[in-house]
Amino acid sequence: MHRIAVLDDYQSAAAEYCDWSLLPGPVEVVEFHDTAAGPDALVARLRGFDVVLAMRERSRFDRAVLERLPDLRLLVTTGMRNKSIDVAAAADLGITVCGTASSATSTVELTWALALASLRHLPQEDASMRAGGWQTTIGGDLHGARLGVIGLGRIGAQVARVGQAFGMDVVAWSQNLTDERAAEVGVRRVERDELFATSDVVTVHLLLSKRTRGLIGADDLALMKHTAVLVNTSRGPIVDEAALVDVLRRGAIAGAGLDVYDAEPLPRDHPLRELRRAVLTPHLGYVTRGTYEVFYRESVEDVAAWMAGNPVRVIEPS
């Protein structure tokens, strides 16, 4: 009998979205509803499991962890790219890694939810209303304002088009962005300093890598207007978190809408939790019914195909 571990199932969603009856043989499924605190705890948790379903990048499977899981034969990740899995090490150890389809639209939608919540001070006004208050803040406008998009890939391009629908002037920058690519999306490429200095909303849409870790630092944030907001739905470490806390604490920018953090889940005593200028969500970019239906349905398909000896959506070492 195969033993399947479902990791980091915070909302107990697997029970609703996974149809284990589709598997071609008997299995034992164990769902874990929290994140193991470090590699030792993760290894202890997964001892005896030959199949693991990992949700996005919540748990890290580097070579050191994989070498300590001798029973593991199949590792399924939601999405076809997971920086937390050492795919080359898995291949060396005879562990098959499979993925699923994913949607970009859910993150695009949350990006705009955070931008609007930050500009219109929705958390503060909601709290004021519940306390008996009325009209305590003055919000910003989107129409006629400038949107600065950092990273014009699949998600960034969609965010840019929504900005255009709001009547915004949209500019973009990234390390490899060309004028031609910007023109394809219907926006204008500008230099980095101009984007930060002139944008009313700065939104981040980059992959986390050695090159982008800490890319946005104190100097960039210092260029921003005091009325501007920063939105990050990509990965926390792209932005220098300490520098961001500093500008928010000093009121140097109007606010930030954040869905991603250096440490996830965000520690209970983290200073961001105390800053009224920060609108915080717990990495919800991909957390929608439609996305979960795809993630979990195709995860079960991956397990079934592997059990039948014909694995699908295999992720090979790059």
Side-chain angles (χ1 to χ4, degrees):
M1 177 183 292
H2 294 287
R3 298 190 70 222
I4 302 174
V6 181
L7 292 184
D8 306 310
D9 183 16
Y10 297 149
Q11 305 102 331
S12 302
E16 176 180 355
Y17 291 103
C18 288
D19 184 358
W20 301 112
S21 69
L22 298 175
L23 298 183
V27 296
E28 176 190 359
V29 179
V30 180
E31 299 158 0
F32 296 97
H33 306 300
D34 62 350
T35 296
D40 291 343
L42 181 62
V43 169
R45 174 169 288 186
L46 296 180
R47 190 168 290 120
F49 287 96
D50 57 337
V51 178
V52 170
L53 270 59
M55 175 57 73
R56 301 304 295 150
E57 297 171 359
R58 294 175 182 172
S59 292
R60 184 169 184 80
F61 290 89
D62 56 20
R63 183 178 291 272
V65 166
L66 293 171
E67 287 177 343
R68 297 169 64 190
L69 297 173
D71 298 310
L72 182 59
R73 300 270 61 89
L74 174 66
L75 178 55
V76 177
T77 176
T78 49
M80 290 300 294
R81 180 169 49 211
N82 188 331
K83 293 288 187 179
S84 294
I85 296 175
D86 188 334
V87 178
D92 292 343
L93 296 165
I95 301 168
T96 301
V97 181
C98 297
T100 73
S102 61
S103 168
T105 56
S106 57
T107 300
V108 173
E109 292 164 4
L110 185 70
T111 295
W112 282 106
L114 287 170
L116 286 163
S118 299
L119 279 170
R120 302 299 290 270
H121 311 294
L122 297 189
Q124 296 95 316
E125 292 293 359
D126 178 79
S128 172
M129 286 286 289
R130 294 177 189 280
W134 189 259
Q135 286 192 358
T136 62
T137 65
I138 300 174
D141 298 286
L142 291 179
H143 186 83
R146 171 168 284 190
L147 172 67
V149 183
I150 300 177
L152 207 59
R154 183 172 63 140
I155 294 176
Q158 292 185 63
V159 169
R161 293 185 178 107
V162 175
Q164 291 167 330
F166 275 120
M168 301 184 77
D169 171 36
V170 184
V171 297
W173 173 85
S174 71
Q175 291 158 313
N176 295 324
L177 182 63
T178 64
D179 291 334
E180 291 74 20
R181 168 58 183 165
E184 287 177 8
V185 182
V187 306
R188 183 166 58 88
R189 188 190 75 83
V190 296
E191 295 303 321
R192 175 174 175 163
D193 285 359
E194 180 181 346
L195 184 145
F196 279 99
T198 64
S199 295
D200 299 287
V201 178
V202 176
T203 181
V204 183
H205 303 287
L206 298 169
L207 295 175
L208 179 62
S209 66
K210 291 180 180 178
R211 187 175 63 175
T212 61
R213 184 177 293 272
L215 177 69
I216 299 170
D219 291 345
D220 301 304
L221 299 174
L223 293 172
M224 291 179 65
K225 301 177 181 180
H226 76 278
T227 55
V229 301
L230 175 79
V231 179
N232 188 5
T233 55
S234 293
R235 290 295 182 268
I238 295 171
V239 180
D240 183 329
E241 197 167 78
L244 180 59
V245 167
D246 177 62
V247 296
L248 290 171
R249 187 173 278 150
R250 292 188 289 106
I253 64 174
L258 305 175
D259 189 45
V260 289
Y261 312 91
D262 285 4
E264 297 184 3
L266 189 67
R268 289 179 178 272
D269 60 350
H270 197 284
L272 280 171
R273 292 186 184 270
E274 302 172 1
L275 297 176
R276 290 171 57 85
R277 291 179 184 270
V279 179
L280 310 178
T281 52
H283 207 148
L284 296 180
Y286 60 92
V287 183
T288 67
R289 288 188 296 273
T291 301
Y292 269 27
E293 286 171 357
V294 173
F295 277 177
Y296 282 115
R297 183 185 70 248
E298 294 197 358
S299 291
V300 173
E301 291 174 1
D302 288 349
V303 178
W306 174 80
M307 289 175 64
N310 297 295
V312 296
R313 292 184 286 268
V314 175
I315 302 174
E316 302 288 354
S318 56

